[in-house]
Amino acid sequence: MTEMMLDIRNLKVSIPTDRGLLNAVRGVDLQIAKGETLCLVGESGCGKSLTATSIMGLLPRYAKVTSDRFEMVGQDLTTKTDAKLAKLRGRDVAMIFQDPTSALNPTLTIGRQLTEGVMRHEKLSRSEAEARAIEMLDRVGIANPAARLTQYPHGFSGGQRQRIMIASALMGRPKLLIADEPTTALDVTIQSQILTLLGELQADLGLSLLLITHDLGVVAAIANDVAVMYAGRIAERAPVAGLFAAPRHPYTKGLLAAIPVPGVTPRGSELPAIPGRVPGLIGALRGCAFRDRCAIAGAECAHDPVPRISAAQGQFIECVKAGEVTA
Ligand SMILES: Nc1ncnc2c1ncn2[C@@H]1O[C@H](COP(=O)(O)OP(=O)(O)O)[C@@H](O)[C@H]1O
Ligand SMILES: [Mg+2]
């Protein structure tokens, strides 16, 4: 049987607001096998970041989280204490955030920031920890890594700082790496370099990778599977080649049509945007959340719950009309 590094069922995250309960994640299933790269895509506001932060246990205290299953690197986390979770996060699971500038402390040297965690979690000596930091900096493409340990973050470009954040995430030799739009804050030319680096590291180190990104070119290059998130649920999950060749959920189809895919979309062509916008997530949402924006929606789309059509193992589409979608 395939070893699962992440197995989450029916994850729900709700946030109390002054307008009522915001149901931002409304029953998400996410499974990532050992060595697998799953890309999570979807418009802004669909609950991708809250899903990722809940996996890391970094949600604000006032957020309400429930799930039917929550297993990570072979451990059941529904029964774990905060202290055990914190330990797991320092080692087996690591996360890379959107903005490297805010994640690095400007007053501490790179060496200090990279070594602190493993000296505490793994009881490494300073020189052992520094040796590992040099190894990781080298891996992520920082030249003269030994000499750079004594430098502060401001001595590095934005792209280099994100490389350092990746090195920092790798320090505990994680089995599962979560990256939430890790290149959004960077120049376009640097973005694909960083994403390509993540893909290479995943392959070299046999990591499981959950990558949230808008860059469908990179998704095409490094994903095994793609999960398309819409209004707090996974609308479709499919292997990357199948998803690009024949998206089955109307939302997936609209998303692929609206974003240029290098090498696929003809240069200079007009891209049709999906009309309308993501529905508000306060209160109950019944039936298909996409139906107001969907060209093929009908009366049956108001039925609740939306039927899930299972494809191959772990693959599914939540659309009553999936059979009618043409490529
Ligand atoms: N701390 C928070 N307080 C209130 N609302 C939040 C908070 N975090 C996220 N949200 C809301 O939850 C929804 C999902 O957010 P998010 O997970 O960040 O989406 P995505 O990453 O897909 O853009 C959005 O409507 C967002 O405004
Ligand atoms: Mg986000």
Side-chain angles (χ1 to χ4, degrees):
M1 224 190 98
T2 337
E3 195 182 340
M4 285 296 160
M5 286 296 119
L6 187 71
D7 190 353
I8 292 177
R9 307 289 171 93
N10 199 23
L11 174 72
K12 294 182 179 170
V13 180
S14 301
I15 295 174
T17 72
D18 47 18
R19 291 182 299 134
L21 200 58
L22 180 98
N23 298 303
V25 179
R26 302 183 304 119
V28 159
D29 293 349
L30 270 187
Q31 287 166 287
I32 305 179
K34 191 170 193 262
E36 180 186 20
T37 296
L38 176 70
C39 286
L40 186 60
V41 303
E43 287 161 288
S44 200
C46 282
K48 303 181 302 294
S49 291
L50 283 176
T51 299
T53 9
S54 67
I55 295 170
M56 292 306 287
L58 295 174
L59 285 174
R61 284 249 172 242
Y62 51 80
K64 295 179 171 44
V65 190
T66 61
S67 64
D68 293 346
R69 183 183 296 182
F70 206 127
E71 290 175 13
M72 198 151 67
V73 291
Q75 301 195 46
D76 179 3
L77 299 185
T78 41
T79 58
K80 285 266 186 296
T81 61
D82 281 1
K84 281 187 180 154
L85 278 173
K87 198 164 176 189
L88 197 66
R89 273 179 230 121
R91 291 165 72 153
D92 291 340
V93 189
M95 182 157 173
I96 303 164
F97 298 90
Q98 206 160 331
D99 184 2
T101 320
S102 64
L104 286 170
N105 184 335
T107 67
L108 296 176
T109 63
I110 296 304
R112 178 83 187 276
Q113 296 188 59
L114 288 180
T115 55
E116 232 171 23
V118 290
M119 287 174 68
R120 191 171 61 234
H121 289 300
E122 297 181 38
K123 310 269 181 279
L124 294 190
S125 70
R126 177 162 303 281
S127 63
E128 286 168 331
E130 283 180 356
R132 192 180 297 176
I134 291 166
E135 177 199 330
M136 294 308 171
L137 287 173
D138 185 47
R139 258 192 193 283
V140 300
I142 299 286
N144 303 321
R148 311 211 67 169
L149 289 182
T150 54
Q151 295 185 341
Y152 291 85
H154 63 79
F156 296 86
S157 70
Q160 284 176 321
R161 283 199 288 260
Q162 193 55 304
R163 286 174 191 270
I164 292 166
M165 283 312 303
I166 297 171
S168 168
L170 296 176
M171 283 297 288
R173 303 195 197 281
K175 297 179 176 128
L176 174 66
L177 189 60
I178 298 169
D180 186 1
E181 302 196 27
T183 61
T184 319
L186 302 174
D187 290 346
V188 177
T189 48
I190 311 293
Q191 290 188 5
S192 67
Q193 291 174 17
I194 297 284
L195 291 171
T196 305
L197 169 68
L198 274 178
E200 287 165 6
L201 291 168
Q202 181 282 325
D204 285 355
L205 305 172
L207 293 169
S208 300
L209 177 63
L210 174 62
L211 174 64
I212 301 173
T213 178
H214 286 297
D215 190 333
L216 291 183
V218 167
V219 171
I222 75 174
N224 299 112
D225 272 19
V226 183
V228 180
M229 193 155 181
Y230 188 72
R233 287 185 71 84
I234 309 290
E236 174 167 10
R237 174 171 174 150
V240 65
L243 188 108
F244 277 89
R248 294 190 59 196
H249 196 291
Y251 179 59
T252 312
K253 207 183 154 194
L255 205 58
L256 291 182
I259 303 173
V261 181
V264 176
T265 313
R267 206 171 268 270
S269 58
E270 282 263 325
L271 294 168
I274 308 175
R277 49 185 299 199
V278 181
L281 297 171
I282 292 184
L285 201 59
R286 304 195 64 80
C288 174
F290 186 60
R291 68 182 189 278
D292 291 347
R293 305 173 71 186
C294 180
I296 62 165
E300 62 272 49
C301 301
H303 283 295
D304 193 83
V306 181
R308 176 178 287 190
I309 301 164
S310 294
Q313 207 213 339
Q315 320 296 340
F316 59 84
I317 310 106
E318 284 194 348
C319 174
V320 70
K321 294 243 179 186
E324 297 174 30
V325 180
T326 49

